Structure formats: C-alpha cells, structure tokens
Amino acid sequence: MDPTTRRRFLIASGVAGGAALAAGAATLSLTDLLDTAGERPEGAKTLVVITLYGGNDGLNTVIPYADRAYHDARPELAYEAGEVLRLDDGTGLNPGLKGLHELFGTKRLAIVRGVGYPKPDRSHFRSMDIWQTASPERPGNTGWIGRWLDGAGADPRLAVSFEKVLPPLLAGQDCAGAVIGAADAKLPKAVTPDVLAGFAAPAAGEPPLQARAAACFGDLARVREMAQQVKDAADEEDGADGGDDTPAATGTGGLAGLQAQLDLVAQCIEAGVATRVFSVSLGGFDTHADERNLQETLLSYLDRGLTAFHKRITAHPAGKDVVVLVYSEFGRRVRANASDGTDHGTASNVFLLGESVPGGLYGEQPSLTDLDDGDLKFTVDFRDVYATVLDRVLQDDPGRALGGWKGALPWW
C-alpha cells in the first residue's frame, strides 16, 4: 500500500482523531498490547472498571421492595415483591439482572449499598469528575487509577481503556493510560475489508512510523471484526426474544459497545498481557422520563455482557485473579418526577464481581424518609471501596493514590 495513500485516508476519514490523540494513546496499538504477553508478574491481579454513564437509578437496581416508603415515593416506577429477584427478605435485584442474581447466589457478587461522598454534586460532569479523580473536596486533574499508574512504573500499557476516549480515571501526573477505541470506528462505505487489509499490508523499505501505521490498520480490522461478531450474536438473541430497539444512550456505550469492549478485555486476559486495569463503559442511564422499561433494558444489557464475560474468563486459569468494579456517577432522587422518571440524586450501589470477592449484600441501606433535601444520605464512602480495591486487587498502598485515605471495606 502506498504510504501517501494510507496517510491521506487517515486524515480524510478521521480515524486518527479522537481516541488516538488522547494522552498516552497515540503510540499504543492492540498489537503492542498483545506483545506484552508473558511480561505479567506472577500473582498479579486484574481490575476491570465498568462505568455506567448518566446516573443509574440505584433504588430500582437494588430494590428495597419491602419498604413502604419506596412504593409511596414512586408508585408508577416501584417494583412489587413478586417482580424482583430476591436477595433477602427486604431487598431484591432488578428483573433485568438475572445473571448477576445467579452469581450473587454463588457468592461471587458483592453488592455495596449507600455508596457516595460528602456534599454530593448533582451535575453529571462534576460528579463523574469526583468519582474518577477520587477528590470530592476540590477539582482534581489526575484519576485515582492514574495516580496508581504513576507509582506502578508509569507504563501506559498497565492501564488501558477500550472506550472512545481516555477517561480521566486513567490520567496520572507523570503518565496516562492508553486507549484502544476502535470498536466503534466508522469507516467510509468504499473501504471494504479487502481495502482495509491492503492498508494493513507493510511495504518493503517503508519508514518505521509508516510501518507502525500499517500495523494499526491491522488492529482496526481485528477489533472491528470482533465487535461485529458480538453485535451479530446479540442481534440474533434479541430477534429470538422478540427484541427491543436499542435505547438512546447518554455518553458512551450501547449493547454492542459494551460486549465488544468486554470481549477485547477477555482476549487480553487470556493472552496474559501486562495490563493490570481495563476501563469500559455503558451509557444511557439519565432516565428523566419513562424510566422503568428503559432502565430494565439497559440493565439487561449490562447483565448479559458481564455474565458472559465472567463465564468466559473463569474458564481460563487467569480468571481467578480478575475483579470487576461497576459504578455510576450518582443515583437518582427518591421520589419520581411527573414524567415517570427520576432526577439526579446522590448515593447508590457499587458491584464487585470475581472469584476472590467475598460475595454478599453489604453497606447500610440509606433511609428513604430521613433525607438530605430529598436525596439519600450515603452510608459508605466511595474511597473505602477504592482503597480496598487498590489493596486487594492492585496490591498497592491505598494511601498513595488516595491522598492518605485510611478507610476500607471491613468485610474484605
């Protein structure tokens, strides 16, 4: 392939923009990542962070179905006792989380209720900044994983995102994680698989940077093929069930997006790459109207993608060392609004999934009547969750990445 033609195509199509310009991402391809197979230290564990963008409604995810105040506050949105997937005599999971309910029953899923931080902010952007930087007191410019990365060798290959852009979560002071966001790349219609393969073919005697561009085209083809296979499988399943249209999403994500991201994570884990942290996401949770069906559909997407990922990696020896953390920037208000939806709230739930996680229901359920201006009062500081993950999964001193934070989850 003529190097000039390849370069002109990159510029015209915009493939080289966006994620490729994110900090630390411009020099990393999927091939680079897979080339680290065998460099992983013995006993090193893996963290997979799933961000639910938009503010997932925690009360209709982990449901206090036995609390009369729950039904009084949201009569059209509330789930009855017979509809939930029971966790105990007062709490149940959303009906869309059947796979996670089974994992809870086998003690592989920990559900932490009432997670939040002091003086909560209801802005999507500010609250997500707080969760990703772990700095609720003042705006931060580094993420909590980025700060871990600074002390873990400042190698961008250690923390990788399969999202469209680098999340602040992975930005450190001295180093940033890397982005491989090709799963949703859109190519001109004229670019067929054969044309893409031609772009990926190296040319004899071409300079190293042009040869690297060829390798990136090869990665693009591989990632897009995997994403399409995942999407086709999901479409077949939806068609067999009668199916629903994929709901409009806020932020990143969508069914094929999440499953494709997790499929790439699984491939990397099975290959034994050096990466210790993977970041993926699902969007669409800003449910101000007609929430019940939309959220249940989104949660079923999360459930299908996450349970398939767990089944795949636990069939591999490396699977026992993988922990998944699922969070959203805030929950929703206790009382439903006039549009059968909920508005921005505060405390919510965090899920932790893995073979090494002591499964169970943890954290005090916030009161639905003793509220802070209509919102739940948090009972678990989110930095306790992060500190425990840094200690148990990333095997590092939590205080270094969390500004000396001393708290932790007492049950793990």
Side-chain angles (χ1 to χ4, degrees), residues 196-279:
L196 194 58
F199 288 149
E206 65 181 340
L209 288 179
Q210 292 171 358
R212 190 179 192 88
C216 289
F217 275 110
D219 289 337
L220 177 61
R222 292 172 63 190
V223 175
R224 283 176 56 80
E225 181 181 1
M226 292 177 65
Q228 188 60 48
Q229 289 172 352
V230 173
K231 183 179 186 301
D232 290 344
D235 289 344
E236 288 177 7
E237 183 174 340
D238 284 340
D241 294 338
D244 294 315
D245 291 335
T246 301
T250 298
T252 59
L255 173 59
L258 178 66
Q259 289 195 343
Q261 291 171 66
L262 288 173
D263 198 52
L264 287 167
V265 172
Q267 180 188 5
C268 291
I269 291 172
E270 291 165 349
V273 302
T275 307
R276 299 287 307 281
V277 181
F278 294 94
S279 176

Side-chain angles (χ1 to χ4, degrees), residues 41 48 69 74 77 113 123 147-148 159 241 276-277 334 384:
V48 181
R74 41 176 69 190
L77 293 182
R113 297 172 294 185
S123 161
R147 295 192 293 273
W148 165 82
D241 294 338
R276 299 287 307 281
V277 181
V334 175
D384 288 355

Side-chain angles (χ1 to χ4, degrees), residues 23 34 36 101 122 127 227 251 255 266 285 296 323 326 330 336 343 382:
L34 294 175
T36 68
H101 182 250
R122 298 185 187 92
S127 189
L255 173 59
F285 288 91
E296 189 172 323
V323 172
V326 185
F330 46 61
D343 298 325
F382 75 128

Side-chain angles (χ1 to χ4, degrees), residues 283-305:
F285 288 91
D286 197 16
T287 49
H288 288 279
D290 300 322
E291 174 186 311
R292 183 165 155 149
N293 289 336
L294 171 59
Q295 188 203 20
E296 189 172 323
T297 300
L298 287 167
L299 290 177
S300 72
Y301 292 172
L302 171 68
D303 185 78
R304 286 160 52 186

Side-chain angles (χ1 to χ4, degrees), residues 15 17 64 93 107 137 169 301-302 344 346 377 387:
V15 173
L93 283 180
K107 301 295 185 182
E137 295 87 3
L169 170 72
Y301 292 172
L302 171 68
H344 301 175
T346 54
K377 298 178 179 178

Side-chain angles (χ1 to χ4, degrees), residues 383-410:
R383 288 166 290 188
D384 288 355
V385 178
Y386 290 172
T388 302
V389 167
L390 285 162
D391 177 31
R392 298 291 186 178
V393 184
L394 297 181
Q395 300 148 313
D396 196 25
D397 174 18
R400 188 180 58 78
L402 298 177
W405 185 257
K406 300 296 184 183
L409 298 175

